[in-house]
Amino acid sequence: MTKAAKKTPAKKSATKAVAARKIAASEPVSAKKASGKTKNPLAPERVHAIIDALDRTYPNATCALNHHNAWELLVATILSAQCTDVRVNMVTPALFHAYPTPHDMAQATPEAIQPIIASLSFFRMKAKSLVGAAKLVSEEFGGHVPQTMEEMLRIPGAARKTSNVVLGTWFGIPTGVVVDTHVLRLSRRLELTTNDDAVKVERDLMQIIPQDHWISFSHELIYHGRQTCEARKPKCADCSLETLCNSSDKTWASH
């Protein structure tokens, strides 16, 4: 690669910011009713514009947890509770090497798994959940991760978020919308919900987001929350949703 072709992280960030501003400029403006409030936040055309902007900004968004099969994704997602994906990706290689299949992990004890995942939050509880999940998948599902929400919810450590991640990311089955801290925060900032309970937020999103976008919408919103719409200081000047957002904690506004 030539010197001219190389891009520093700062230049890459600047290029992304320029692209995001172009996307924002091409989308409609959400009219305000009052400071921090949109006139009609759930208008179908506004929801469509949000989906369109996210699709264009993150066309290849997918789950950031490293995995090679449904079982590895299930394990990684259970481990990701109250923990970053980066941290989970640091421990799963050793875990999968030691216990590559549900049957292998079902033979282990939580105490044997704990040292491998000790750098993660709530590692003792998670180790117990992993052994329980491995036993259930091995004994009741023949070693295969099930493909229905009802069956997934029987697995220790697999609530709706985990189940939606596995069913959507690996199997491509849109059973719901993954609601993590990013999706919850951004959904409230965009006024797509007024709830702060994950189950209620998911219900609200499922009513306004077309089902064929449930999987991609959550991935894209998670990417956006990590890269641009941060919790403490959102990078509104570099946001492809800026003209559509009237959040009261915006740091910059073009309208």
Side-chain angles (χ1 to χ4, degrees), residues 84-142:
T84 66
D85 291 348
V86 172
R87 175 59 63 180
V88 172
N89 288 337
M90 292 173 66
V91 306
T92 48
L95 180 64
F96 296 147
H97 178 74
Y99 308 104
T101 68
H103 175 75
D104 294 324
M105 194 171 289
Q107 308 308 307
T109 63
E111 290 73 21
I113 293 175
Q114 287 174 16
I116 304 175
I117 64 171
S119 62
L120 305 182
S121 58
F122 307 108
F123 69 94
R124 292 183 180 86
M125 179 179 68
K126 290 176 180 178
K128 184 178 180 181
S129 292
L130 291 184
V131 173
K135 288 182 177 179
L136 188 71
V137 170
S138 298
E139 297 170 3
E140 298 197 29
F141 300 119

Side-chain angles (χ1 to χ4, degrees), residues 27-28 43-54 240-241 244:
E27 297 292 351
E45 58 270 23
R46 179 176 184 264
V47 175
H48 173 77
I50 290 172
I51 293 172
D52 176 67
L54 288 171
S240 55
L241 300 176
L244 295 161

Side-chain angles (χ1 to χ4, degrees), residues 186-224:
L186 271 62
S187 295
R188 286 180 58 85
R189 276 180 171 164
L190 290 167
E191 300 172 87
L192 300 179
T193 182
T194 58
N195 288 301
D196 54 14
D197 173 77
V199 174
K200 293 180 180 179
V201 171
E202 182 188 5
R203 178 200 62 198
D204 293 343
L205 294 176
M206 290 171 68
Q207 291 177 350
I208 60 174
I209 306 297
Q211 187 172 10
D212 61 353
H213 277 78
W214 285 356
I215 298 172
S216 59
F217 179 79
S218 59
H219 286 318
E220 292 163 1
L221 216 57
I222 290 169
Y223 267 61
H224 196 62

Side-chain angles (χ1 to χ4, degrees), residues 23 44 159 161 177:
I23 293 172
K161 173 195 165 186
V177 178

Side-chain angles (χ1 to χ4, degrees), residues 162-194:
T162 295
S163 300
N164 279 326
V165 169
V166 176
L167 292 172
T169 300
W170 185 260
F171 295 111
I173 302 173
T175 53
V177 178
V178 174
V179 177
D180 71 345
T181 56
H182 298 293
V183 174
L184 193 153
R185 181 178 73 255
L186 271 62
S187 295
R188 286 180 58 85
R189 276 180 171 164
L190 290 167
E191 300 172 87
L192 300 179
T193 182
T194 58

